């Protein structure tokens, strides 16, 4: 009997995962956007960004999902790039759909603004 290959999740995939809360030891099953690459997945990790219903919008940098059917979502939803989690591939319950490339790239652009640049901080501290 052949052994099946593990599922591969690509950046831009919308998956359903137990997403951890940052402020307590709990998780909530919810859709999330995969933002990591295959190299990270091969190491046993997948980075995902929270997706929540649009009624919860209001945080800076939220991005409204414009193609709900493609994303596999039934209600107006947003991607919240400020909330990112690291999950093991085995914790992903299923793939729901995907975002358009332009929307995925917009999420990446926002995440890049959150990544610190040590040189810039160090230069300010030492002057």
């Amino acid at each position: 009997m052949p052994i099946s290959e593990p599922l591969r999740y690509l950046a831009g995939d919308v998956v359903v995962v137990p997403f951890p809360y940052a402020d307590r030891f709990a998780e909530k099953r919810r859709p999330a956007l995969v933002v990591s690459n295959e190299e990270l997945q091969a190491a046993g990790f997948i980075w995902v960004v929270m997706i929540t219903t649009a009624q919860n919008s209001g945080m800076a940098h939220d991005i409204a999902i414009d193609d709900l059917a493609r994303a596999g979502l039934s209600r107006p939803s947003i991607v919240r790039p400020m909330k990112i989690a690291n999950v093991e591939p085995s914790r992903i319950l299923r793939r729901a759909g995907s975002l358009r490339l332009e929307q995925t790239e917009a999420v990446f652009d926002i995440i890049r603004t959150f990544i610190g640049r040590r040189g810039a901080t160090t230069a300010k501290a030492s002057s």
Side-chain angles (χ1 to χ4, degrees):
M1 178 176 223
I3 298 174
S4 63
E5 288 272 329
L7 289 177
R8 288 284 186 215
Y9 300 100
L10 303 174
D13 283 349
V14 174
V15 296
V16 177
V17 62
F19 200 94
Y21 283 93
D23 61 345
R24 57 187 177 266
F25 293 111
E27 299 173 326
K28 181 179 180 182
R29 182 179 157 175
R30 66 169 58 250
L33 178 68
V34 175
V35 294
S36 57
N37 61 22
E38 290 185 38
E39 180 181 359
L40 198 60
Q41 184 171 335
F45 306 103
I46 296 181
W47 291 349
V48 295
V49 171
M50 176 187 278
I51 294 176
T52 189
T53 59
Q55 70 186 24
N56 294 324
S57 66
M59 289 187 79
H61 310 292
D62 287 350
I63 297 176
I65 296 174
D66 61 8
D67 189 342
L68 296 175
R70 179 183 177 132
L73 302 170
S74 59
R75 299 186 338 193
S77 300
I78 58 163
V79 180
R80 180 156 285 159
M82 288 185 153
K83 293 202 174 190
I84 190 167
N86 183 17
V87 298
E88 295 175 358
S90 63
R91 304 265 297 153
I92 294 177
L93 303 172
R94 66 181 173 86
R95 183 181 180 278
S98 64
L99 292 190
R100 289 183 309 101
L101 178 61
E102 297 82 9
Q103 284 217 291
T104 301
E105 287 296 329
V107 173
F108 290 151
D109 289 344
I110 291 169
I111 291 171
R112 284 184 199 103
T113 68
F114 298 144
I115 298 171
R117 291 183 176 86
R118 186 173 184 272
T121 305
T122 306
K124 285 182 183 179
S126 62
S127 44

